[in-house]
Amino acid sequence: LAMSGEKRYDKVMNFFSLCNQVFSNFIIGKSIDSFIIGLICFAGMKLLGAPYATLLSVIVGVTNMIPYFGPFIGAIPAILITLFISPIKALWVAIFILVLQQVDGNIIGPKILGDKVGISPFYRRRILWDARDALCCAYIQDSQHTAWQISGCKDRETTRT
């Protein structure tokens, strides 16, 4: 990099600076999203009369930070703990968390992350259903996509070698 000239150095540094900015915005956006989901979960758990609503909502909110599988990981303790108290309440808690995660994944998350990171909600939803992308880390992919858009590449498939 040092031997390639000042112009290339500036381009590379600008690229990594942009990736850092996108990554930071993604983490901030995901944190805001998870906090909102935790609050909504707390309100729903209280309305359902679920035991340990505060603890379970914190677990759901924190695990919501994990891409793709986090919401399911967070639902498991909530459903199991409620199952020991009341199987009927556990069923309602499971339905509530499933609906909450669908609303998060299709409405709240894309809106917040699209605003923070600059990726359209349509693209965010496409990432969730693309099996190849599910194997990649969402943070890195969002950084790459935004950097490719800003650098002028028309399609990410054309940039691969």
Side-chain angles (χ1 to χ4, degrees), residues 4 16 19 23 31-32 35-36 41 51 54 64 79 82 85 91 109-110 125 128 134 138 143 148 150 156 159:
S4 62
F16 284 113
C19 287
F23 181 75
S31 298
I32 292 168
F35 180 72
I36 290 170
C41 185
T54 306
N64 194 51
I79 294 168
T82 309
I85 307 298
L91 178 64
R125 280 190 216 110
L128 295 176
S143 298
W148 279 320
I150 290 173
R156 69 181 186 165
T159 60

Side-chain angles (χ1 to χ4, degrees), residues 20-69:
N20 183 44
Q21 180 183 0
V22 170
F23 181 75
S24 298
N25 285 344
F26 186 88
I27 296 296
I28 291 168
K30 194 67 175 163
S31 298
I32 292 168
D33 175 52
S34 294
F35 180 72
I36 290 170
I37 292 304
L39 289 178
I40 295 171
C41 185
F42 176 73
M45 295 283 211
K46 278 296 195 183
L47 286 174
L48 291 172
Y52 310 109
T54 306
L55 174 66
L56 298 177
S57 298
V58 168
I59 292 170
V60 168
V62 169
T63 58
N64 194 51
M65 288 287 292
I66 303 169
Y68 307 112
F69 304 109

Side-chain angles (χ1 to χ4, degrees), residues 44-146:
M45 295 283 211
K46 278 296 195 183
L47 286 174
L48 291 172
Y52 310 109
T54 306
L55 174 66
L56 298 177
S57 298
V58 168
I59 292 170
V60 168
V62 169
T63 58
N64 194 51
M65 288 287 292
I66 303 169
Y68 307 112
F69 304 109
F72 300 108
I73 294 169
I76 291 170
I79 294 168
L80 286 177
I81 290 172
T82 309
L83 185 64
F84 290 126
I85 307 298
S86 168
I88 299 299
K89 278 187 185 178
L91 178 64
W92 283 110
V93 166
I95 292 169
F96 170 71
I97 291 177
L98 178 68
V99 169
L100 177 63
Q101 294 306 330
Q102 292 302 311
V103 169
D104 178 39
N106 292 311
I107 299 170
I108 299 171
K111 176 67 177 148
I112 291 173
L113 293 175
D115 291 346
K116 280 306 248 183
V117 179
I119 295 177
S120 71
F122 172 77
Y123 184 77
R124 292 288 312 156
R125 280 190 216 110
R126 190 194 70 75
I127 291 172
L128 295 176
W129 296 109
D130 193 341
R132 179 189 65 218
D133 291 333
L135 298 174
C136 297
C137 181
Y139 310 121
I140 294 171
Q141 171 153 25
D142 288 345
S143 298
Q144 287 176 343
H145 178 73
T146 303

